[in-house]
Coordinates of all heavy atoms in Angstrom, one line a residue:
L25 N 10.9 112.9 114.2 CA 11.4 114.3 114.1 C 10.2 115.2 114.5 O 9.1 114.9 114.2 CB 11.7 114.6 112.6 CG 12.1 116.1 112.3 CD1 13.5 116.3 112.8 CD2 12.1 116.3 110.8
Y26 N 10.6 116.3 115.2 CA 9.6 117.3 115.7 C 9.9 118.7 115.2 O 11.0 119.0 114.9 CB 9.6 117.3 117.2 CG 9.2 115.9 117.8 CD1 10.2 115.1 118.4 CD2 7.9 115.5 118.0 CE1 9.9 113.9 118.9 CE2 7.6 114.3 118.6 CZ 8.6 113.5 119.0 OH 8.3 112.3 119.6
L27 N 8.8 119.5 115.2 CA 8.9 120.9 115.0 C 7.9 121.6 116.0 O 6.7 121.5 115.8 CB 8.5 121.4 113.6 CG 8.8 122.8 113.2 CD1 10.3 123.1 113.2 CD2 8.2 123.2 111.9
Q28 N 8.5 122.2 117.0 CA 7.7 122.9 118.0 C 7.5 124.3 117.5 O 8.5 125.0 117.3 CB 8.4 122.9 119.4 CG 7.6 123.7 120.4 CD 6.3 123.0 120.8 OE1 6.4 121.9 121.3 NE2 5.3 123.7 120.7
T29 N 6.3 124.7 117.3 CA 6.0 126.0 116.8 C 5.4 126.8 117.9 O 4.5 126.4 118.6 CB 5.0 126.0 115.6 OG1 3.7 125.6 116.0 CG2 5.5 125.0 114.5
M30 N 5.8 128.1 118.0 CA 5.3 129.0 119.1 C 5.0 130.4 118.4 O 5.5 130.7 117.4 CB 6.4 129.2 120.2 CG 6.7 127.9 120.9 SD 8.2 127.9 121.9 CE 9.4 127.8 120.5
S31 N 4.2 131.1 119.2 CA 3.8 132.5 118.8 C 3.4 132.5 117.3 O 3.9 133.3 116.5 CB 5.0 133.5 119.0 OG 5.4 133.5 120.3
L32 N 2.5 131.6 117.0 CA 2.1 131.4 115.6 C 1.4 132.6 115.0 O 0.6 133.4 115.7 CB 1.2 130.2 115.4 CG 2.0 128.9 115.5 CD1 1.0 127.7 115.7 CD2 2.8 128.6 114.2
K33 N 1.7 132.9 113.8 CA 1.1 134.1 113.1 C 0.3 133.6 111.9 O 0.5 132.5 111.4 CB 2.2 135.0 112.5 CG 3.2 135.5 113.6 CD 4.4 136.2 112.9 CE 5.4 136.7 114.0 NZ 6.5 137.4 113.4
P34 N -0.7 134.4 111.4 CA -1.5 134.0 110.2 C -0.6 133.6 109.0 O -1.0 132.7 108.3 CB -2.3 135.2 109.9 CG -2.5 135.9 111.3 CD -1.2 135.7 112.0
E35 N 0.5 134.3 108.8 CA 1.4 133.9 107.7 C 2.1 132.6 107.9 O 2.8 132.1 106.9 CB 2.4 135.1 107.5 CG 3.2 135.5 108.7 CD 2.6 136.7 109.4 OE1 1.4 136.8 109.6 OE2 3.4 137.6 109.8
D36 N 2.0 132.0 109.0 CA 2.5 130.6 109.2 C 1.6 129.5 108.7 O 1.9 128.4 108.6 CB 2.8 130.3 110.7 CG 3.9 131.2 111.3 OD1 4.9 131.4 110.6 OD2 3.7 131.6 112.4
T37 N 0.4 129.9 108.3 CA -0.6 129.0 107.7 C 0.0 128.3 106.5 O 0.4 129.0 105.5 CB -1.9 129.7 107.4 OG1 -2.5 130.2 108.6 CG2 -2.9 128.7 106.7
A38 N 0.1 127.0 106.5 CA 0.7 126.3 105.4 C 0.6 124.8 105.6 O 0.2 124.3 106.7 CB 2.2 126.7 105.3
V39 N 0.8 124.0 104.6 CA 1.0 122.6 104.8 C 2.5 122.4 105.1 O 3.4 122.8 104.3 CB 0.6 121.8 103.5 CG1 0.9 120.3 103.7 CG2 -0.9 122.0 103.2
Y40 N 2.8 121.7 106.2 CA 4.1 121.4 106.6 C 4.6 120.0 106.2 O 3.8 119.0 106.5 CB 4.3 121.7 108.1 CG 4.3 123.1 108.5 CD1 3.1 123.8 108.4 CD2 5.4 123.8 108.9 CE1 3.1 125.2 108.8 CE2 5.4 125.1 109.2 CZ 4.2 125.8 109.1 OH 4.2 127.2 109.5
Y41 N 5.7 119.9 105.6 CA 6.3 118.6 105.2 C 7.6 118.3 105.8 O 8.4 119.2 106.0 CB 6.5 118.6 103.7 CG 5.3 118.9 102.8 CD1 5.0 120.2 102.4 CD2 4.4 117.9 102.3 CE1 3.9 120.5 101.6 CE2 3.4 118.1 101.6 CZ 3.1 119.5 101.2 OH 2.0 119.7 100.4
C42 N 7.9 117.1 106.1 CA 9.2 116.7 106.5 C 9.8 115.9 105.4 O 9.2 115.3 104.6 CB 9.2 115.9 107.9 SG 8.4 114.3 107.8
S43 N 11.2 115.8 105.4 CA 11.9 115.1 104.3 C 13.2 114.6 104.8 O 13.8 115.1 105.7 CB 12.1 116.0 103.1 OG 13.0 117.0 103.4
V44 N 13.6 113.5 104.2 CA 14.9 112.9 104.4 C 15.4 112.4 103.1 O 14.7 111.7 102.4 CB 14.9 111.8 105.5 CG1 13.9 110.7 105.1 CG2 16.3 111.2 105.7
G45 N 16.6 112.9 102.7 CA 17.1 112.6 101.3 C 16.0 113.0 100.3 O 15.5 114.2 100.3
D46 N 15.6 112.1 99.4 CA 14.6 112.4 98.4 C 13.2 112.0 98.8 O 12.3 112.0 98.0 CB 15.0 111.8 97.1 CG 16.2 112.5 96.4 OD1 16.4 113.7 96.6 OD2 17.0 111.7 95.7
Y47 N 13.0 111.6 100.1 CA 11.7 111.2 100.5 C 11.0 112.2 101.2 O 11.6 113.0 102.0 CB 11.9 109.9 101.5 CG 12.5 108.7 100.8 CD1 13.8 108.5 100.8 CD2 11.6 107.8 100.1 CE1 14.4 107.3 100.1 CE2 12.2 106.7 99.5 CZ 13.5 106.5 99.5 OH 14.0 105.4 98.9
W48 N 9.7 112.3 101.0 CA 8.8 113.3 101.6 C 7.5 112.6 102.2 O 7.1 111.6 101.7 CB 8.3 114.3 100.5 CG 9.4 115.1 100.0 CD1 10.4 114.8 99.1 CD2 9.7 116.5 100.2 NE1 11.2 115.8 98.8 CE2 10.8 116.9 99.5 CE3 8.9 117.5 100.9 CZ2 11.3 118.2 99.4 CZ3 9.5 118.8 100.9 CH2 10.6 119.2 100.2
G49 N 7.0 113.3 103.2 CA 5.7 112.9 103.7 C 4.6 113.6 102.9 O 4.9 114.4 102.0
E50 N 3.4 113.4 103.3 CA 2.3 114.0 102.6 C 1.8 115.3 103.2 O 1.0 116.0 102.7 CB 1.1 113.0 102.5 CG 1.4 111.8 101.6 CD 0.2 111.0 101.3 OE1 -0.9 111.3 101.7 OE2 0.4 110.0 100.5
G51 N 2.4 115.6 104.4 CA 2.2 116.9 105.0 C 1.1 116.9 106.0 O 0.2 116.1 106.0
T52 N 1.1 118.0 106.9 CA 0.1 118.2 107.8 C -0.3 119.7 107.8 O 0.6 120.5 107.7 CB 0.5 117.8 109.3 OG1 -0.6 118.0 110.2 CG2 1.7 118.6 109.7
L53 N -1.5 120.0 107.8 CA -2.0 121.4 107.6 C -2.1 122.2 108.9 O -2.7 121.7 109.9 CB -3.4 121.4 107.0 CG -4.0 122.8 106.7 CD1 -3.2 123.7 105.8 CD2 -5.5 122.6 106.2

């Protein structure tokens, strides 16, 4: 799965997680 981010803003700063059902990854900052 992908998320292409563009025109990033300071308020986009976060840990990003993907999920399927009740499963989660550990995130990427």
Side-chain angles (χ1 to χ4, degrees):
L25 177 73
Y26 299 100
L27 186 69
Q28 179 68 58
T29 70
M30 297 165 286
S31 301
L32 285 164
K33 306 173 181 179
E35 52 263 44
D36 294 319
T37 296
V39 177
Y40 285 73
Y41 302 91
C42 67
S43 69
V44 56
D46 291 329
Y47 295 94
W48 295 71
E50 294 190 359
T52 184
L53 176 63

